[in-house]
PDB file of all heavy atoms in Angstrom:
ATOM      1  N   ILE A 396      -8.129  19.327   0.761  1.00  0.00           N
ATOM      2  CA  ILE A 396      -7.380  18.137   1.168  1.00  0.00           C
ATOM      3  C   ILE A 396      -8.318  16.941   1.122  1.00  0.00           C
ATOM      4  O   ILE A 396      -9.401  16.982   1.695  1.00  0.00           O
ATOM      5  CB  ILE A 396      -6.807  18.283   2.587  1.00  0.00           C
ATOM      6  CG1 ILE A 396      -5.743  19.384   2.597  1.00  0.00           C
ATOM      7  CG2 ILE A 396      -6.216  16.955   3.073  1.00  0.00           C
ATOM      8  CD1 ILE A 396      -5.020  19.547   3.910  1.00  0.00           C
ATOM      9  N   VAL A 397      -7.889  15.895   0.432  1.00  0.00           N
ATOM     10  CA  VAL A 397      -8.653  14.656   0.465  1.00  0.00           C
ATOM     11  C   VAL A 397      -7.911  13.644   1.333  1.00  0.00           C
ATOM     12  O   VAL A 397      -6.802  13.235   1.022  1.00  0.00           O
ATOM     13  CB  VAL A 397      -8.963  14.104  -0.951  1.00  0.00           C
ATOM     14  CG1 VAL A 397      -9.990  15.000  -1.638  1.00  0.00           C
ATOM     15  CG2 VAL A 397      -7.733  13.991  -1.844  1.00  0.00           C
ATOM     16  N   ASP A 398      -8.545  13.305   2.461  1.00  0.00           N
ATOM     17  CA  ASP A 398      -8.007  12.320   3.397  1.00  0.00           C
ATOM     18  C   ASP A 398      -8.643  10.999   2.981  1.00  0.00           C
ATOM     19  O   ASP A 398      -9.814  10.757   3.214  1.00  0.00           O
ATOM     20  CB  ASP A 398      -8.413  12.743   4.815  1.00  0.00           C
ATOM     21  CG  ASP A 398      -8.027  11.728   5.889  1.00  0.00           C
ATOM     22  OD1 ASP A 398      -7.569  10.621   5.554  1.00  0.00           O
ATOM     23  OD2 ASP A 398      -8.211  12.054   7.081  1.00  0.00           O
ATOM     24  N   THR A 399      -7.841  10.155   2.309  1.00  0.00           N
ATOM     25  CA  THR A 399      -8.400   8.975   1.638  1.00  0.00           C
ATOM     26  C   THR A 399      -8.159   7.715   2.457  1.00  0.00           C
ATOM     27  O   THR A 399      -7.018   7.331   2.705  1.00  0.00           O
ATOM     28  CB  THR A 399      -7.749   8.789   0.251  1.00  0.00           C
ATOM     29  OG1 THR A 399      -6.358   8.497   0.414  1.00  0.00           O
ATOM     30  CG2 THR A 399      -7.901  10.032  -0.610  1.00  0.00           C
ATOM     31  N   TRP A 400      -9.231   7.066   2.865  1.00  0.00           N
ATOM     32  CA  TRP A 400      -9.086   5.804   3.598  1.00  0.00           C
ATOM     33  C   TRP A 400      -9.271   4.627   2.641  1.00  0.00           C
ATOM     34  O   TRP A 400     -10.258   4.574   1.889  1.00  0.00           O
ATOM     35  CB  TRP A 400     -10.116   5.669   4.730  1.00  0.00           C
ATOM     36  CG  TRP A 400     -10.025   4.301   5.355  1.00  0.00           C
ATOM     37  CD1 TRP A 400      -9.157   3.921   6.335  1.00  0.00           C
ATOM     38  CD2 TRP A 400     -10.777   3.129   5.002  1.00  0.00           C
ATOM     39  NE1 TRP A 400      -9.320   2.572   6.610  1.00  0.00           N
ATOM     40  CE2 TRP A 400     -10.311   2.065   5.808  1.00  0.00           C
ATOM     41  CE3 TRP A 400     -11.794   2.875   4.080  1.00  0.00           C
ATOM     42  CZ2 TRP A 400     -10.829   0.775   5.728  1.00  0.00           C
ATOM     43  CZ3 TRP A 400     -12.310   1.581   3.994  1.00  0.00           C
ATOM     44  CH2 TRP A 400     -11.831   0.550   4.825  1.00  0.00           C
ATOM     45  N   TRP A 401      -8.338   3.716   2.677  1.00  0.00           N
ATOM     46  CA  TRP A 401      -8.467   2.458   1.940  1.00  0.00           C
ATOM     47  C   TRP A 401      -7.376   1.514   2.391  1.00  0.00           C
ATOM     48  O   TRP A 401      -6.620   1.848   3.316  1.00  0.00           O
ATOM     49  CB  TRP A 401      -8.464   2.677   0.433  1.00  0.00           C
ATOM     50  CG  TRP A 401      -7.229   3.308  -0.163  1.00  0.00           C
ATOM     51  CD1 TRP A 401      -6.771   4.579   0.050  1.00  0.00           C
ATOM     52  CD2 TRP A 401      -6.320   2.704  -1.087  1.00  0.00           C
ATOM     53  NE1 TRP A 401      -5.628   4.798  -0.678  1.00  0.00           N
ATOM     54  CE2 TRP A 401      -5.330   3.670  -1.388  1.00  0.00           C
ATOM     55  CE3 TRP A 401      -6.249   1.458  -1.702  1.00  0.00           C
ATOM     56  CZ2 TRP A 401      -4.272   3.411  -2.267  1.00  0.00           C
ATOM     57  CZ3 TRP A 401      -5.198   1.211  -2.585  1.00  0.00           C
ATOM     58  CH2 TRP A 401      -4.232   2.176  -2.855  1.00  0.00           C
ATOM     59  N   GLN A 402      -7.265   0.347   1.772  1.00  0.00           N
ATOM     60  CA  GLN A 402      -6.352  -0.708   2.220  1.00  0.00           C
ATOM     61  C   GLN A 402      -5.807  -1.485   1.024  1.00  0.00           C
ATOM     62  O   GLN A 402      -6.406  -1.458  -0.054  1.00  0.00           O
ATOM     63  CB  GLN A 402      -7.100  -1.718   3.100  1.00  0.00           C
ATOM     64  CG  GLN A 402      -7.902  -1.115   4.210  1.00  0.00           C
ATOM     65  CD  GLN A 402      -8.637  -2.175   5.006  1.00  0.00           C
ATOM     66  OE1 GLN A 402      -9.525  -2.832   4.497  1.00  0.00           O
ATOM     67  NE2 GLN A 402      -8.259  -2.340   6.265  1.00  0.00           N
ATOM     68  N   THR A 403      -4.745  -2.237   1.268  1.00  0.00           N
ATOM     69  CA  THR A 403      -4.229  -3.154   0.245  1.00  0.00           C
ATOM     70  C   THR A 403      -5.381  -4.014  -0.292  1.00  0.00           C
ATOM     71  O   THR A 403      -5.483  -4.263  -1.491  1.00  0.00           O
ATOM     72  CB  THR A 403      -3.160  -4.079   0.868  1.00  0.00           C
ATOM     73  OG1 THR A 403      -2.152  -3.251   1.467  1.00  0.00           O
ATOM     74  CG2 THR A 403      -2.531  -4.983  -0.171  1.00  0.00           C
ATOM     75  N   GLU A 404      -6.233  -4.432   0.603  1.00  0.00           N
ATOM     76  CA  GLU A 404      -7.322  -5.347   0.252  1.00  0.00           C
ATOM     77  C   GLU A 404      -8.413  -4.689  -0.580  1.00  0.00           C
ATOM     78  O   GLU A 404      -9.202  -5.384  -1.220  1.00  0.00           O
ATOM     79  CB  GLU A 404      -7.967  -5.895   1.535  1.00  0.00           C
ATOM     80  CG  GLU A 404      -7.078  -6.794   2.376  1.00  0.00           C
ATOM     81  CD  GLU A 404      -6.177  -6.027   3.354  1.00  0.00           C
ATOM     82  OE1 GLU A 404      -6.025  -4.791   3.207  1.00  0.00           O
ATOM     83  OE2 GLU A 404      -5.633  -6.667   4.266  1.00  0.00           O
ATOM     84  N   THR A 405      -8.520  -3.373  -0.510  1.00  0.00           N
ATOM     85  CA  THR A 405      -9.661  -2.715  -1.185  1.00  0.00           C
ATOM     86  C   THR A 405      -9.330  -2.300  -2.618  1.00  0.00           C
ATOM     87  O   THR A 405     -10.234  -1.926  -3.357  1.00  0.00           O
ATOM     88  CB  THR A 405     -10.180  -1.488  -0.404  1.00  0.00           C
ATOM     89  OG1 THR A 405      -9.221  -0.428  -0.494  1.00  0.00           O
ATOM     90  CG2 THR A 405     -10.486  -1.818   1.048  1.00  0.00           C
ATOM     91  N   GLY A 406      -8.062  -2.319  -2.999  1.00  0.00           N
ATOM     92  CA  GLY A 406      -7.659  -2.010  -4.369  1.00  0.00           C
ATOM     93  C   GLY A 406      -7.601  -0.528  -4.683  1.00  0.00           C
ATOM     94  O   GLY A 406      -6.757  -0.079  -5.451  1.00  0.00           O
ATOM     95  N   GLY A 407      -8.511   0.234  -4.139  1.00  0.00           N
ATOM     96  CA  GLY A 407      -8.548   1.678  -4.381  1.00  0.00           C
ATOM     97  C   GLY A 407      -9.234   2.368  -3.212  1.00  0.00           C
ATOM     98  O   GLY A 407      -9.708   1.720  -2.266  1.00  0.00           O
ATOM     99  N   ILE A 408      -9.294   3.691  -3.315  1.00  0.00           N
ATOM    100  CA  ILE A 408      -9.852   4.540  -2.253  1.00  0.00           C
ATOM    101  C   ILE A 408     -11.320   4.194  -2.003  1.00  0.00           C
ATOM    102  O   ILE A 408     -12.085   3.990  -2.940  1.00  0.00           O
ATOM    103  CB  ILE A 408      -9.715   6.021  -2.669  1.00  0.00           C
ATOM    104  CG1 ILE A 408      -8.233   6.401  -2.768  1.00  0.00           C
ATOM    105  CG2 ILE A 408     -10.458   6.944  -1.691  1.00  0.00           C
ATOM    106  CD1 ILE A 408      -7.978   7.717  -3.492  1.00  0.00           C
ATOM    107  N   MET A 409     -11.690   4.131  -0.733  1.00  0.00           N
ATOM    108  CA  MET A 409     -13.053   3.737  -0.335  1.00  0.00           C
ATOM    109  C   MET A 409     -13.833   4.873   0.322  1.00  0.00           C
ATOM    110  O   MET A 409     -15.008   5.075   0.048  1.00  0.00           O
ATOM    111  CB  MET A 409     -12.976   2.574   0.652  1.00  0.00           C
ATOM    112  CG  MET A 409     -12.321   1.322   0.114  1.00  0.00           C
ATOM    113  SD  MET A 409     -13.381   0.397  -0.990  1.00  0.00           S
ATOM    114  CE  MET A 409     -14.438  -0.454   0.194  1.00  0.00           C
ATOM    115  N   ILE A 410     -13.204   5.544   1.269  1.00  0.00           N
ATOM    116  CA  ILE A 410     -13.878   6.633   1.977  1.00  0.00           C
ATOM    117  C   ILE A 410     -12.992   7.863   1.825  1.00  0.00           C
ATOM    118  O   ILE A 410     -11.817   7.828   2.187  1.00  0.00           O
ATOM    119  CB  ILE A 410     -14.082   6.308   3.477  1.00  0.00           C
ATOM    120  CG1 ILE A 410     -14.888   5.013   3.633  1.00  0.00           C
ATOM    121  CG2 ILE A 410     -14.755   7.470   4.193  1.00  0.00           C
ATOM    122  CD1 ILE A 410     -15.169   4.618   5.088  1.00  0.00           C
ATOM    123  N   SER A 411     -13.555   8.919   1.264  1.00  0.00           N
ATOM    124  CA  SER A 411     -12.750  10.118   1.000  1.00  0.00           C
ATOM    125  C   SER A 411     -13.650  11.248   0.535  1.00  0.00           C
ATOM    126  O   SER A 411     -14.664  11.018  -0.115  1.00  0.00           O
ATOM    127  CB  SER A 411     -11.745   9.815  -0.121  1.00  0.00           C
ATOM    128  OG  SER A 411     -11.122  11.005  -0.570  1.00  0.00           O
ATOM    129  N   PRO A 412     -13.242  12.480   0.814  1.00  0.00           N
ATOM    130  CA  PRO A 412     -13.940  13.596   0.179  1.00  0.00           C
ATOM    131  C   PRO A 412     -13.687  13.555  -1.333  1.00  0.00           C
ATOM    132  O   PRO A 412     -12.691  12.984  -1.784  1.00  0.00           O
ATOM    133  CB  PRO A 412     -13.261  14.839   0.767  1.00  0.00           C
ATOM    134  CG  PRO A 412     -12.394  14.367   1.883  1.00  0.00           C
ATOM    135  CD  PRO A 412     -12.111  12.913   1.658  1.00  0.00           C
ATOM    136  N   LEU A 413     -14.568  14.152  -2.109  1.00  0.00           N
ATOM    137  CA  LEU A 413     -14.277  14.423  -3.516  1.00  0.00           C
ATOM    138  C   LEU A 413     -13.769  15.861  -3.514  1.00  0.00           C
ATOM    139  O   LEU A 413     -14.430  16.758  -2.976  1.00  0.00           O
ATOM    140  CB  LEU A 413     -15.544  14.302  -4.365  1.00  0.00           C
ATOM    141  CG  LEU A 413     -16.342  12.999  -4.212  1.00  0.00           C
ATOM    142  CD1 LEU A 413     -17.513  12.974  -5.188  1.00  0.00           C
ATOM    143  CD2 LEU A 413     -15.462  11.767  -4.406  1.00  0.00           C
ATOM    144  N   ALA A 414     -12.589  16.062  -4.091  1.00  0.00           N
ATOM    145  CA  ALA A 414     -11.906  17.354  -3.936  1.00  0.00           C
ATOM    146  C   ALA A 414     -12.767  18.526  -4.405  1.00  0.00           C
ATOM    147  O   ALA A 414     -13.250  18.533  -5.532  1.00  0.00           O
ATOM    148  CB  ALA A 414     -10.593  17.338  -4.707  1.00  0.00           C
ATOM    149  N   GLY A 415     -12.942  19.492  -3.515  1.00  0.00           N
ATOM    150  CA  GLY A 415     -13.690  20.692  -3.869  1.00  0.00           C
ATOM    151  C   GLY A 415     -15.195  20.490  -3.860  1.00  0.00           C
ATOM    152  O   GLY A 415     -15.955  21.437  -4.078  1.00  0.00           O
ATOM    153  N   ILE A 416     -15.651  19.273  -3.639  1.00  0.00           N
ATOM    154  CA  ILE A 416     -17.085  18.976  -3.683  1.00  0.00           C
ATOM    155  C   ILE A 416     -17.608  18.643  -2.289  1.00  0.00           C
ATOM    156  O   ILE A 416     -18.577  19.223  -1.818  1.00  0.00           O
ATOM    157  CB  ILE A 416     -17.353  17.817  -4.674  1.00  0.00           C
ATOM    158  CG1 ILE A 416     -17.080  18.312  -6.100  1.00  0.00           C
ATOM    159  CG2 ILE A 416     -18.775  17.281  -4.520  1.00  0.00           C
ATOM    160  CD1 ILE A 416     -17.124  17.242  -7.154  1.00  0.00           C
ATOM    161  N   THR A 417     -16.928  17.717  -1.615  1.00  0.00           N
ATOM    162  CA  THR A 417     -17.345  17.337  -0.264  1.00  0.00           C
ATOM    163  C   THR A 417     -16.724  18.337   0.719  1.00  0.00           C
ATOM    164  O   THR A 417     -15.501  18.464   0.757  1.00  0.00           O
ATOM    165  CB  THR A 417     -16.819  15.921   0.080  1.00  0.00           C
ATOM    166  OG1 THR A 417     -17.051  15.067  -1.037  1.00  0.00           O
ATOM    167  CG2 THR A 417     -17.475  15.377   1.330  1.00  0.00           C
ATOM    168  N   PRO A 418     -17.540  19.034   1.505  1.00  0.00           N
ATOM    169  CA  PRO A 418     -16.937  19.923   2.513  1.00  0.00           C
ATOM    170  C   PRO A 418     -16.086  19.087   3.478  1.00  0.00           C
ATOM    171  O   PRO A 418     -16.521  18.026   3.922  1.00  0.00           O
ATOM    172  CB  PRO A 418     -18.150  20.519   3.236  1.00  0.00           C
ATOM    173  CG  PRO A 418     -19.309  20.312   2.307  1.00  0.00           C
ATOM    174  CD  PRO A 418     -19.007  19.072   1.525  1.00  0.00           C
ATOM    175  N   THR A 419     -14.849  19.520   3.746  1.00  0.00           N
ATOM    176  CA  THR A 419     -13.942  18.704   4.559  1.00  0.00           C
ATOM    177  C   THR A 419     -13.902  19.172   6.002  1.00  0.00           C
ATOM    178  O   THR A 419     -14.280  20.315   6.312  1.00  0.00           O
ATOM    179  CB  THR A 419     -12.507  18.744   3.997  1.00  0.00           C
ATOM    180  OG1 THR A 419     -12.072  20.099   3.968  1.00  0.00           O
ATOM    181  CG2 THR A 419     -12.437  18.163   2.609  1.00  0.00           C
ATOM    182  N   LYS A 420     -13.448  18.269   6.863  1.00  0.00           N
ATOM    183  CA  LYS A 420     -13.144  18.608   8.258  1.00  0.00           C
ATOM    184  C   LYS A 420     -11.805  17.943   8.546  1.00  0.00           C
ATOM    185  O   LYS A 420     -11.606  16.791   8.153  1.00  0.00           O
ATOM    186  CB  LYS A 420     -14.173  17.967   9.199  1.00  0.00           C
ATOM    187  CG  LYS A 420     -15.567  18.530   9.125  1.00  0.00           C
ATOM    188  CD  LYS A 420     -16.398  17.885  10.256  1.00  0.00           C
ATOM    189  CE  LYS A 420     -17.876  17.939   9.932  1.00  0.00           C
ATOM    190  NZ  LYS A 420     -18.690  17.150  10.883  1.00  0.00           N
ATOM    191  N   PRO A 421     -10.898  18.653   9.233  1.00  0.00           N
ATOM    192  CA  PRO A 421      -9.588  18.054   9.496  1.00  0.00           C
ATOM    193  C   PRO A 421      -9.722  16.700  10.184  1.00  0.00           C
ATOM    194  O   PRO A 421     -10.530  16.555  11.093  1.00  0.00           O
ATOM    195  CB  PRO A 421      -8.920  19.055  10.444  1.00  0.00           C
ATOM    196  CG  PRO A 421      -9.691  20.303  10.339  1.00  0.00           C
ATOM    197  CD  PRO A 421     -11.039  19.983   9.812  1.00  0.00           C
ATOM    198  N   SER A 422      -8.925  15.738   9.722  1.00  0.00           N
ATOM    199  CA  SER A 422      -8.844  14.395  10.305  1.00  0.00           C
ATOM    200  C   SER A 422     -10.049  13.505  10.021  1.00  0.00           C
ATOM    201  O   SER A 422     -10.174  12.447  10.620  1.00  0.00           O
ATOM    202  CB  SER A 422      -8.625  14.425  11.830  1.00  0.00           C
ATOM    203  OG  SER A 422      -7.557  15.260  12.141  1.00  0.00           O
ATOM    204  N   LEU A 423     -10.927  13.903   9.137  1.00  0.00           N
ATOM    205  CA  LEU A 423     -12.043  13.027   8.791  1.00  0.00           C
ATOM    206  C   LEU A 423     -11.952  12.605   7.329  1.00  0.00           C
ATOM    207  O   LEU A 423     -11.754  13.431   6.440  1.00  0.00           O
ATOM    208  CB  LEU A 423     -13.396  13.705   9.048  1.00  0.00           C
ATOM    209  CG  LEU A 423     -13.899  13.536  10.498  1.00  0.00           C
ATOM    210  CD1 LEU A 423     -13.180  14.464  11.441  1.00  0.00           C
ATOM    211  CD2 LEU A 423     -15.395  13.708  10.571  1.00  0.00           C
ATOM    212  N   ALA A 424     -12.118  11.294   7.110  1.00  0.00           N
ATOM    213  CA  ALA A 424     -12.097  10.784   5.733  1.00  0.00           C
ATOM    214  C   ALA A 424     -13.447  11.063   5.052  1.00  0.00           C
ATOM    215  O   ALA A 424     -13.603  10.800   3.862  1.00  0.00           O
ATOM    216  CB  ALA A 424     -11.764   9.300   5.731  1.00  0.00           C
ATOM    217  N   THR A 425     -14.371  11.554   5.791  1.00  0.00           N
ATOM    218  CA  THR A 425     -15.725  11.995   5.362  1.00  0.00           C
ATOM    219  C   THR A 425     -16.609  10.860   4.854  1.00  0.00           C
ATOM    220  O   THR A 425     -17.000  10.017   5.634  1.00  0.00           O
ATOM    221  CB  THR A 425     -15.701  13.196   4.372  1.00  0.00           C
ATOM    222  OG1 THR A 425     -15.300  12.770   3.076  1.00  0.00           O
ATOM    223  CG2 THR A 425     -14.826  14.323   4.875  1.00  0.00           C
ATOM    224  N   LEU A 426     -16.900  10.802   3.548  1.00  0.00           N
ATOM    225  CA  LEU A 426     -18.004   9.968   3.061  1.00  0.00           C
ATOM    226  C   LEU A 426     -17.524   8.858   2.122  1.00  0.00           C
ATOM    227  O   LEU A 426     -16.514   9.001   1.439  1.00  0.00           O
ATOM    228  CB  LEU A 426     -19.016  10.857   2.324  1.00  0.00           C
ATOM    229  CG  LEU A 426     -19.674  11.943   3.181  1.00  0.00           C
ATOM    230  CD1 LEU A 426     -20.478  12.909   2.319  1.00  0.00           C
ATOM    231  CD2 LEU A 426     -20.575  11.316   4.250  1.00  0.00           C
ATOM    232  N   PRO A 427     -18.290   7.762   2.064  1.00  0.00           N
ATOM    233  CA  PRO A 427     -17.915   6.668   1.167  1.00  0.00           C
ATOM    234  C   PRO A 427     -18.067   7.060  -0.294  1.00  0.00           C
ATOM    235  O   PRO A 427     -18.967   7.827  -0.646  1.00  0.00           O
ATOM    236  CB  PRO A 427     -18.910   5.562   1.526  1.00  0.00           C
ATOM    237  CG  PRO A 427     -20.078   6.260   2.144  1.00  0.00           C
ATOM    238  CD  PRO A 427     -19.521   7.471   2.832  1.00  0.00           C
ATOM    239  N   LEU A 428     -17.234   6.507  -1.149  1.00  0.00           N
ATOM    240  CA  LEU A 428     -17.411   6.717  -2.586  1.00  0.00           C
ATOM    241  C   LEU A 428     -18.663   5.966  -3.037  1.00  0.00           C
ATOM    242  O   LEU A 428     -19.074   4.994  -2.399  1.00  0.00           O
ATOM    243  CB  LEU A 428     -16.210   6.169  -3.358  1.00  0.00           C
ATOM    244  CG  LEU A 428     -14.855   6.800  -3.128  1.00  0.00           C
ATOM    245  CD1 LEU A 428     -13.933   6.490  -4.307  1.00  0.00           C
ATOM    246  CD2 LEU A 428     -14.937   8.289  -2.930  1.00  0.00           C
TER     247      LEU A 428
END
Side-chain angles (χ1 to χ4, degrees):
I396 294 185
V397 289
D398 175 352
T399 65
W400 174 84
W401 61 294
Q402 310 178 294
T403 305
E404 294 86 345
T405 71
I408 295 166
M409 299 284 281
I410 302 181
S411 169
L413 308 184
I416 291 172
T417 315
T419 58
K420 291 187 203 171
S422 309
L423 274 77
T425 75
L426 298 171
L428 296 201

